[in-house]
């Protein structure tokens, strides 16, 4: 039996934050992950994805400026960009493990299962800990229809040695859209099949419609209101069965990808043996991110059913909160600042704060500014068609409640809106600021 003050399941950003912070305070810490250390974001998510997107940004920019100073649109070398991406991925696990060793943290490379309220089976070891943290992240949703196992994961996409000529993505969330845009700009034929009436349902739909337009203009087929019910392999192709109302349609592609959501990776941990309550969204936690049913347990990141969005910076914030409560006793309630989120398509779509419907639901007296601004200088100089914004203003306090953007580099502009919301800056204060010009940020006052 190995014994620890703190034992952590999962070595993503939340788990890593907790492990190192607790170890530096003198606690005996162990950590395990059955996948390479680093978590989804660094190894098979946002970081490698963003590296690959870099090449498509160059092609997209050149295509927009063709005839306006650019003569040749560069081709994307898939093999080279994947090799470049891998340089970022390969360096992470050994670097992280070296940091653990330096801080005196015991490392394991096994899956974990609970045996009781404070004991685990970790590979061939039994582990007992005063506090156990579940920071196991998320994983692709299981497709339980016939042939569902043929669908590859987002991880598989990021490790494709060769890009298929045709791809189909199941689901209409940000993973499907981001990867579809990458594949289409690299020359593939792409289809997205989504069961709902609207894709990207959690975003402001008045803005999503511009992304839908840009996606279809890129040549991506967007099939809505259609349930995928089966996948059949026929020679070197896959035939996907989709049902719409009483109709059945079939779609063919060289590769099919499961982008139908990522539930928390907690359902193989035998949580019931440890008296841990949970929902389909994660471990049920209180304001200290402690299990509501077992005081030995904390959860953070995608594994926790908390108010935090499934984003890497949120996992880090929750990790700091958990570590503080383990070290000092429950004294730090989790507090979420405005959480900007981005769909890294081209154009990018970004959001922070309340949507219009949410603000109305909460009975705010609001003023809504919604405008398509393809005629603005920044759109014209970049030759961008889709540039629009929707801002929600609290009429009583004259502060921003929400901002929703689509256009060039909104992934950066949205951070300024997040700062304004967090600091409760007045609209007139922002309007009278001097921004460097001509920049995308200099458009902000005109969005209010």
């Amino acid at each position: 039996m190995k014994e620890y003050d703190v034992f952590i399941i999962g070595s993503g950003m939340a788990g890593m934050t907790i492990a190192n912070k607790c170890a530096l305070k003198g606690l005996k810490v162990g950590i395990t992950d059955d996948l390479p250390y680093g978590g989804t974001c660094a190894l098979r998510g946002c970081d490698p994805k963003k590296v690959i997107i870099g090449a498509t940004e160059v092609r997209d920019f050149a295509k927009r400026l063709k005839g306006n100073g650019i003569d040749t649109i560069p081709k994307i070398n898939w093999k080279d960009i994947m090799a470049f991406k891998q340089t970022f991925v390969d360096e992470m696990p050994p670097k992280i493990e070296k940091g653990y060793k330096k801080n005196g943290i015991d490392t394991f490379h096994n899956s974990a299962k609970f045996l009781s309220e404070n004991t685990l089976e970790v590979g061939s070891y039994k582990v007992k800990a005063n506090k156990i943290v579940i920071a196991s992240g998320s994983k692709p949703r299981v497709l339980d229809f016939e042939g569902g196992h043929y669908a590859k994961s987002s991880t598989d996409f990021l490790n494709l040695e060769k890009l298929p000529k045709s791809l189909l993505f199941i689901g209409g969330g940000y993973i499907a859209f981001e990867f579809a845009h990458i594949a289409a700009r690299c020359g593939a034929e792409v289809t997205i099949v989504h069961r709902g009436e609207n894709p990207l349902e959690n975003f402001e739909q008045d803005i999503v419609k511009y992304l839908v337009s840009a996606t279809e203009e890129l040549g991506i087929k967007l099939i809505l209101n259609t349930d995928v019910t089966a996948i059949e392999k026929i020679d070197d192709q896959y035939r996907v069965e989709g049902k719409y109302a009483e109709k059945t349609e079939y779609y063919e592609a060289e590769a099919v990808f499961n982008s139908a959501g990522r539930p928390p990776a907690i359902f193989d941990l035998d949580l019931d043996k440890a008296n841990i309550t949970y929902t389909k969204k994660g471990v049920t936690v209180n304001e200290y991110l402690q299990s509501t049913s077992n005081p030995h347990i904390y959860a953070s990141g995608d594994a926790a059913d908390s108010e935090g969005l499934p984003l890497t910076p949120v996992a880090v914030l929750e990790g700091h909160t958990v570590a503080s409560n383990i070290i000092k006793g429950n004294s730090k309630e989790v507090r979420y600042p405005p959480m900007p989120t981005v769909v890294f398509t081209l154009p990018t779509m970004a959001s922070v704060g309340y949507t219009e419907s949410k603000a109305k639901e909460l009975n705010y007296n609001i003023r809504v500014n919604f405008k398509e601004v393809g005629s603005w200088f920044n759109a014209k100089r970049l030759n961008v068609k889709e540039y629009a914004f929707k801002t929600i203003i609290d009429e009583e306090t004259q502060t921003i409640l929400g901002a929703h953007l689509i256009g060039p580099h909104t992934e950066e502009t949205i951070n300024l809106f997040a700062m304004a919301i967090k600091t409760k800056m007045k609209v007139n204060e922002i309007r009278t600021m001097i921004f460097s010009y001509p920049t995308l940020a200099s458009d902000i006052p005109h969005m209010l």
Side-chain angles (χ1 to χ4, degrees), residues 367-378:
R367 173 168 54 85
V368 177
N369 303 309
F370 172 43
K371 193 174 183 180
E372 180 181 350
V373 287
S375 61
W376 283 7
F377 174 72
N378 275 321

Side-chain angles (χ1 to χ4, degrees), residues 241-356:
E241 179 184 85
K243 290 190 184 286
Y244 169 58
E246 300 301 317
K247 297 179 181 178
T248 301
E249 298 283 348
Y250 294 93
Y251 313 94
E252 291 192 354
E254 275 189 16
V256 180
F257 291 88
N258 172 13
S259 43
R262 292 178 61 88
I266 62 171
F267 304 111
D268 296 327
L269 298 178
D270 288 347
L271 299 177
D272 295 331
K273 290 183 179 179
N275 187 33
I276 299 171
T277 56
Y278 56 94
T279 70
K280 64 181 181 179
K281 295 181 180 179
V283 174
T284 308
V285 293
N286 59 21
E287 65 272 27
Y288 305 110
L289 296 175
Q290 182 183 41
S291 165
T292 55
S293 57
N294 180 346
H296 295 287
I297 307 300
Y298 288 81
S300 59
D302 294 356
D305 184 358
S306 66
E307 293 180 14
L309 294 176
L311 303 169
T312 299
V314 176
V316 173
L317 180 149
E318 292 186 347
H320 281 293
T321 301
V322 168
S324 179
N325 287 328
I326 289 174
I327 294 164
K328 301 176 182 177
N330 286 352
S331 58
K332 187 174 184 178
E333 295 184 12
V334 65
R335 290 282 184 267
Y336 299 101
M339 295 175 277
T341 182
V342 176
V343 182
F344 284 99
T345 46
L346 295 173
T348 54
M349 185 174 72
S351 176
V352 67
Y354 295 144
T355 59
E356 180 181 357

Side-chain angles (χ1 to χ4, degrees), residues 66-335:
K66 191 172 189 301
N68 292 303
I70 296 296
D71 295 325
T72 306
I73 301 172
K75 292 182 179 179
I76 295 171
N77 185 313
W78 185 263
K79 185 178 179 181
D80 285 355
I81 190 60
M82 293 303 276
F84 181 49
K85 175 269 301 182
Q86 203 60 32
T87 62
F88 293 86
V89 174
D90 288 344
E91 71 177 9
M92 289 302 293
K95 181 180 177 181
I96 291 168
E97 188 152 11
K98 184 178 179 182
Y100 288 150
K101 300 284 188 188
K102 181 181 177 182
N103 290 335
I105 298 166
D106 286 354
T107 56
F108 297 78
H109 295 274
N110 310 96
S111 59
K113 290 184 183 293
F114 280 92
L115 298 174
S116 70
E117 290 200 349
N118 65 341
T119 59
L120 294 163
E121 182 179 79
V122 181
S124 59
Y125 298 98
K126 284 189 178 179
V127 169
K128 183 177 182 181
N130 184 39
K131 303 295 182 189
I132 296 173
V133 181
I134 302 171
S136 46
S138 61
K139 61 182 182 179
R141 188 180 306 282
V142 174
L143 301 179
D144 54 4
F145 49 73
E146 184 180 351
H149 62 283
Y150 287 127
K152 298 178 183 297
S153 69
S154 56
T155 303
D156 295 324
F157 180 88
L158 291 170
N159 289 307
L160 286 171
E161 292 183 8
K162 183 181 179 182
L163 185 68
K165 291 180 181 177
S166 57
L167 304 87
L168 183 145
F169 294 90
I170 301 171
Y174 70 94
I175 294 175
F177 272 77
E178 290 173 348
F179 288 178
H181 273 238
I182 290 172
R185 284 193 170 83
C186 291
E189 183 180 316
V190 183
T191 303
I192 297 173
V193 181
H194 178 53
R195 68 188 303 177
E197 185 177 349
N198 298 305
L200 297 156
E201 290 129 333
N202 294 327
F203 287 82
E204 182 66 66
Q205 289 301 304
D206 281 336
I207 299 297
V208 170
K209 69 181 183 184
Y210 293 101
L211 181 55
V212 168
S213 175
T215 299
E216 292 178 334
E217 189 168 321
L218 192 55
I220 296 168
K221 295 176 186 172
L222 182 58
I223 313 296
L224 302 175
N225 294 305
T226 301
D227 260 320
V228 172
T229 49
I231 304 172
E232 182 183 3
K233 192 175 192 303
I234 303 174
D235 298 326
D236 293 332
Q237 295 271 336
Y238 293 93
R239 189 170 78 156
V240 176
E241 179 184 85
K243 290 190 184 286
Y244 169 58
E246 300 301 317
K247 297 179 181 178
T248 301
E249 298 283 348
Y250 294 93
Y251 313 94
E252 291 192 354
E254 275 189 16
V256 180
F257 291 88
N258 172 13
S259 43
R262 292 178 61 88
I266 62 171
F267 304 111
D268 296 327
L269 298 178
D270 288 347
L271 299 177
D272 295 331
K273 290 183 179 179
N275 187 33
I276 299 171
T277 56
Y278 56 94
T279 70
K280 64 181 181 179
K281 295 181 180 179
V283 174
T284 308
V285 293
N286 59 21
E287 65 272 27
Y288 305 110
L289 296 175
Q290 182 183 41
S291 165
T292 55
S293 57
N294 180 346
H296 295 287
I297 307 300
Y298 288 81
S300 59
D302 294 356
D305 184 358
S306 66
E307 293 180 14
L309 294 176
L311 303 169
T312 299
V314 176
V316 173
L317 180 149
E318 292 186 347
H320 281 293
T321 301
V322 168
S324 179
N325 287 328
I326 289 174
I327 294 164
K328 301 176 182 177
N330 286 352
S331 58
K332 187 174 184 178
E333 295 184 12
V334 65
R335 290 282 184 267

Side-chain angles (χ1 to χ4, degrees), residues 381-422:
R381 72 179 174 85
L382 298 170
N383 200 17
V384 172
K385 289 184 180 179
E386 298 83 12
Y387 191 19
F389 66 88
K390 189 173 194 178
T391 54
I392 294 99
I393 311 298
D394 184 341
E395 286 280 46
E396 292 181 11
T397 63
Q398 286 299 301
T399 56
I400 303 169
L401 293 174
H404 311 277
L405 318 173
I406 188 165
H409 301 295
T410 60
E411 74 276 16
E412 301 293 348
T413 309
I414 202 69
N415 290 322
L416 298 176
F417 277 104
M419 289 177 64
I421 295 172
K422 179 175 171 57

Side-chain angles (χ1 to χ4, degrees), residues 53-63 73-74 346:
I53 286 172
T56 69
E57 288 174 327
V58 173
R59 178 176 169 78
D60 177 64
F61 201 178
K63 191 173 181 180
I73 301 172
L346 295 173

